[in-house]
Amino acid sequence: MKTTTSSLSAFGDSSIQTPSKSRIRQGCHSAGPNVSGDHINLVSSSMPSFPILQRSSEEKILYSDRLTLERQKLTVCPIIDGEEHLRLLNFQHNFITRIQNISNLQRLIFLDLYDNQIEEISGLSTLRSLRVLLLGKNRIKKISNLENLKSLDVLDLHGNQRDVDNLPCLQRLFLSFNNISTFESVCCLADSTSLSDITFDGNPIAQESWYKHTILQNMMQLRQLDMKRITEEERRMASVIAKKEEEKKRESQKQSLLKEKKRLTINNVARKWDLQQHRVTSIAANQDRKDSDSPSQDPCQVDGSTISAFPEETGSLDSALSNALQGLSVTDTHLVEVDGDTLSLYGSGALESLDRNWSVQTAGMVTTVSFTFIEFDEIVQVLPKLKIKFPNSLHLKFKETNLVMLQQFNALAQLRRIDQLTIDPQGNPVVSFTLWKYYVLFRLSHFSMQKINGTEVTQNDMIMAERLFGILAHVASSELPQYRLISILGDARKKQFRYLLETKGKKPGVVSEENNDSKRLVGENTNRATLNYTTRDFYNEKLEEIKEKKKFCKMYIEDLVKEATEINMKNEALQKLWPQMFIELVRDAVIEIRNKSSYMKLCLQQITDQK
């Protein structure tokens, strides 16, 4: 076999076309009764597994040296008698598993078995005239039994598993113009220690930017590539580029894993949130049923559908996810992410991140804070920390935070500044209220907000907000107890005093530039300040505190009443005994002073004893 025997052919499945094809009906590859085509008959033979192929005399005259049997669903090679003069035989696109029944075709030059199911090269030892053998897209794992094919020029084995260990002396391999588009299809050649010269020109792979350095990095034994000598500088550059590509690949994999972990964590947080909301709804529904003396139901029943008590059972993830992401944790219940100027918090546990020691640079960059799957009442409790930790935060986003009433927006007034507010309709029923935007503009007017849900705030919006809710603030402030009103005024004065201290010593120009920001800090109207919000937890704590105080007061009053009762009872007893006691006192006094000299001696003796 010549050196070029190991070359892949450019023919592929577009091999030499004949003027016409021999047509065989479906099932002609199995033994059985005669099956006739236009010019070909298959008849049963003494070997049941192999039909005999016969052509008409006209067919033999027209195409005496070629036979085409492609796409005929053949599982075996039929017995071909009387065709020893054939030079071209085409079995493309069938299901043949073994090469056989062609040993008598000793004049055959071109044999095409492309796209079959052949696992072993065999049955060719007598075909000494064969020059082109096309075995691409089969199941061949070894190059064998080709020793007798001395005339073989072209061997096409693409689309198989080429085992180059069986070619230990292979030095030059020409793979030009074989439609090779990926390195994976020829990467097995890197295992050949003898290969020194290879060509890939004319293939799509040779047009890729990574082509040269990938080949050189993986085939270190090469001396020539595409008929050009490889220099040491080219090897060095290939190594450098390969390292960079490997680093890029690692970083890409790392980012992909982080992205996937983020997705899994968010899904887990979402399931936990949904389960929590269903439980709350279920408890409320059960309470309503108890109040109405209706029959109780399973607490996990919501609108007739069963909600699992475990997040893992509430929904199914992609079945392939666990296999592809074995190293990722899906048990995380919260996520904290800083992406550019946005701080995203998922799950109530993420609020604890505000206690971290954030770097000045990172904290200063954050201008947008997004809350997702967190109860708004829990967010309210950390707003003072948010104001301190991220002083430049101007845009707040709320999604799935249970914003259900307008009063909750009052809590945002304690922040330093808000330019934009985004309330996602998902998980925030308050957005369904027609006037919610106007209430926000009215209550937080000291911030002079620019956008709400991406829409610019106009002067007309501010006027309408004042008309709608101005009277509400007036009524609230007029009905507020005096001590509470004094407390609010005190807070306002503190803000004004702080502003005066901060602007003291600054140039007038600087102060004027900061005037708008200062208005946001101290410009909260007292009437509006009376519209505040107390979270449910804080309200419940206050209720507990009030209950404890009531209990203490009750016990204290009861003790006082008991003590007063006892005193009164003693007084009544004294009143009953007093007349008799008085008589006895008078009688004792009269008896003592009856003998004046004795009484005086007794008194003197008592005085002497006391000294």
Side-chain angles (χ1 to χ4, degrees):
M1 185 171 60
K2 300 180 181 178
T3 305
T4 54
T5 300
S6 297
S7 302
L8 297 182
S9 169
F11 292 107
D13 77 337
S14 58
S15 58
I16 298 175
Q17 299 295 319
T18 58
S20 68
K21 297 180 182 177
S22 300
R23 286 169 290 180
I24 301 178
R25 294 180 184 175
Q26 183 175 357
C28 68
H29 57 279
S30 62
N34 297 353
V35 181
S36 301
D38 292 342
H39 304 285
I40 295 176
N41 289 329
L42 285 176
V43 297
S44 301
S45 67
S46 58
M47 294 183 290
S49 301
F50 302 103
I52 299 175
L53 183 140
Q54 294 181 350
R55 290 199 293 175
S56 66
S57 56
E58 292 85 356
E59 183 80 8
K60 287 185 178 180
I61 293 173
L62 287 173
Y63 310 110
S64 59
D65 61 346
R66 62 189 60 196
L67 177 61
T68 299
L69 296 173
E70 65 176 83
R71 301 183 190 276
Q72 298 302 315
K73 301 184 179 178
L74 295 172
T75 59
V76 297
C77 297
I79 298 173
I80 304 175
D81 286 337
E83 300 281 359
E84 287 75 12
H85 53 279
L86 281 179
R87 294 165 62 85
L88 184 150
L89 180 57
N90 182 0
F91 283 115
Q92 274 193 21
H93 307 295
N94 283 290
F95 303 97
I96 298 171
T97 59
R98 187 176 180 184
I99 306 172
Q100 50 192 341
N101 298 327
I102 60 172
S103 58
N104 59 320
L105 306 178
Q106 297 185 8
R107 295 185 182 180
L108 200 63
I109 294 176
F110 190 105
L111 177 58
D112 190 349
L113 287 161
Y114 173 81
D115 190 18
N116 278 276
Q117 299 179 7
I118 298 169
E119 297 181 355
E120 181 183 10
I121 301 176
S122 61
L124 302 173
S125 58
T126 61
L127 306 182
R128 299 181 182 274
S129 300
L130 193 64
R131 298 184 61 186
V132 177
L133 177 58
L134 305 183
L135 291 170
K137 202 175 179 183
N138 276 280
R139 300 177 180 178
I140 298 170
K141 297 182 179 179
K142 288 187 177 181
I143 302 174
S144 59
N145 302 320
L146 298 177
E147 296 80 4
N148 294 335
L149 305 184
K150 304 297 183 181
S151 301
L152 189 62
D153 290 327
V154 177
L155 173 61
D156 177 10
L157 288 170
H158 80 277
N160 287 279
Q161 301 176 19
R162 299 189 61 185
D163 188 354
V164 295
D165 290 339
N166 289 322
L167 296 172
C169 299
L170 182 65
Q171 297 181 7
R172 306 178 69 196
L173 184 58
F174 303 97
L175 301 175
S176 304
F177 300 99
N178 270 284
N179 199 29
I180 299 171
S181 58
T182 63
F183 177 74
E184 286 72 19
S185 60
V186 293
C187 64
C188 60
L189 297 173
D191 298 330
S192 174
T193 56
S194 59
L195 190 63
S196 62
D197 187 356
I198 195 168
T199 62
F200 289 107
D201 56 301
N203 289 286
I205 191 177
Q207 307 300 320
E208 299 289 346
S209 59
W210 46 261
Y211 160 67
K212 193 168 187 177
H213 71 260
T214 301
I215 297 296
L216 294 182
Q217 181 65 19
N218 289 276
M219 300 182 183
M220 303 293 292
Q221 75 277 25
L222 291 182
R223 295 181 181 178
Q224 288 196 147
L225 177 61
D226 296 332
M227 306 301 291
K228 295 180 182 178
R229 188 168 185 81
I230 301 169
T231 65
E232 289 301 319
E233 179 63 19
E234 288 176 326
R235 293 186 191 278
R236 189 186 68 80
M237 289 300 298
S239 178
V240 171
I241 294 173
K243 287 180 181 178
K244 289 183 178 178
E245 291 291 335
E246 187 64 24
E247 289 175 0
K248 259 190 211 177
K249 186 177 179 181
R250 282 202 204 98
E251 184 61 26
S252 176
Q253 290 176 344
K254 179 181 177 182
Q255 293 302 322
S256 298
L257 288 174
L258 289 175
K259 189 178 294 184
E260 191 59 29
K261 183 173 183 180
K262 172 186 173 182
R263 187 183 72 81
L264 291 175
T265 302
I266 292 176
N267 285 345
N268 192 50
V269 174
R271 289 197 303 275
K272 183 179 178 182
W273 170 263
D274 289 340
L275 183 63
Q276 179 183 345
Q277 301 310 304
H278 286 310
R279 281 176 175 168
V280 171
T281 305
S282 178
I283 291 171
N286 287 338
Q287 187 62 41
D288 291 341
R289 284 193 291 269
K290 288 178 181 178
D291 294 341
S292 60
D293 294 328
S294 61
S296 61
Q297 297 182 9
D298 187 349
C300 288
Q301 292 282 339
V302 180
D303 296 334
S305 61
T306 302
I307 305 300
S308 171
F310 300 98
E312 292 78 8
E313 298 176 1
T314 59
S316 60
L317 290 174
D318 186 355
S319 59
L321 211 54
S322 57
N323 296 328
L325 301 166
Q326 295 177 359
L328 295 184
S329 170
V330 293
T331 59
D332 294 335
T333 57
H334 66 273
L335 175 68
V336 180
E337 180 186 37
V338 178
D339 185 9
D341 62 351
T342 301
L343 171 65
S344 299
L345 305 175
Y346 298 86
S348 59
L351 297 177
E352 298 176 3
S353 66
L354 296 179
D355 293 325
R356 293 181 187 171
N357 293 323
W358 294 87
S359 67
V360 176
Q361 182 179 3
T362 302
M365 281 184 358
V366 173
T367 59
T368 301
V369 182
S370 174
F371 301 93
T372 309
F373 302 122
I374 308 174
E375 287 283 350
F376 184 80
D377 284 0
E378 296 182 36
I379 298 173
V380 171
Q381 299 175 20
V382 301
L383 289 180
K385 296 179 183 178
L386 181 69
K387 179 172 62 174
I388 296 172
K389 293 283 186 177
F390 302 97
N392 296 327
S393 57
L394 306 175
H395 185 186
L396 296 185
K397 294 182 177 180
F398 297 92
K399 181 178 180 181
E400 293 281 6
T401 56
N402 267 348
L403 271 165
V404 296
M405 52 185 175
L406 297 179
Q407 292 93 320
Q408 289 174 298
F409 290 114
N410 299 340
L412 300 180
Q414 60 183 298
L415 292 173
R416 183 183 298 273
R417 177 178 175 184
I418 303 178
D419 282 354
Q420 293 188 54
L421 186 65
T422 301
I423 311 296
D424 195 293
Q426 188 174 346
N428 295 307
V430 72
V431 177
S432 61
F433 298 171
T434 305
L435 304 178
W436 76 272
K437 290 184 181 179
Y438 293 111
Y439 183 81
V440 170
L441 291 176
F442 170 77
R443 181 60 186 89
L444 307 178
S445 60
H446 57 290
F447 289 143
S448 301
M449 279 196 292
Q450 301 173 5
K451 288 183 179 180
I452 296 182
N453 278 14
T455 303
E456 294 282 348
V457 176
T458 64
Q459 187 62 32
N460 290 335
D461 293 332
M462 300 299 296
I463 294 173
M464 179 60 72
E466 185 65 33
R467 288 178 178 174
L468 290 171
F469 296 102
I471 188 65
L472 174 66
H474 175 72
V475 171
S477 61
S478 61
E479 295 295 326
L480 200 68
Q482 187 176 5
Y483 75 92
R484 178 60 182 146
L485 187 60
I486 293 174
S487 174
I488 293 174
L489 291 175
D491 291 340
R493 291 195 182 106
K494 288 178 184 177
K495 291 182 180 179
Q496 293 173 358
F497 182 67
R498 189 187 310 124
Y499 166 64
L500 292 175
L501 289 178
E502 290 175 354
T503 57
K504 185 178 180 181
K506 291 187 177 181
K507 297 180 180 179
V510 176
V511 175
S512 61
E513 289 175 0
E514 297 179 350
N515 191 38
N516 291 333
D517 292 343
S518 302
K519 286 181 180 178
R520 292 189 177 100
L521 291 174
V522 301
E524 183 180 6
N525 185 278
T526 304
N527 288 346
R528 289 175 172 81
T530 60
L531 301 173
N532 52 24
Y533 174 63
T534 303
T535 64
R536 286 191 294 269
D537 291 340
F538 184 75
Y539 179 72
N540 292 334
E541 290 177 4
K542 285 294 183 183
L543 284 180
E544 291 297 324
E545 184 179 344
I546 291 172
K547 286 181 181 178
E548 290 295 327
K549 288 181 178 179
K550 285 184 177 179
K551 184 178 179 181
F552 173 78
C553 291
K554 183 179 179 181
M555 292 175 62
Y556 182 72
I557 294 297
E558 287 177 351
D559 291 342
L560 290 177
V561 170
K562 183 178 179 181
E563 185 179 353
T565 303
E566 292 176 351
I567 293 172
N568 184 60
M569 290 174 65
K570 290 178 180 179
N571 185 47
E572 290 179 353
L574 179 62
Q575 292 298 325
K576 291 179 181 179
L577 296 174
W578 178 247
Q580 183 63 30
M581 290 174 63
F582 181 75
I583 292 172
E584 290 179 357
L585 287 172
V586 171
R587 185 192 66 189
D588 292 342
V590 170
I591 292 173
E592 285 180 355
I593 63 174
R594 180 182 301 172
N595 188 344
K596 186 175 181 181
S597 60
S598 298
Y599 178 72
M600 291 179 64
K601 287 180 181 180
L602 178 64
C603 289
L604 289 172
Q605 185 62 38
Q606 290 178 350
I607 294 172
T608 303
D609 293 341
Q610 288 179 359
K611 290 181 178 181

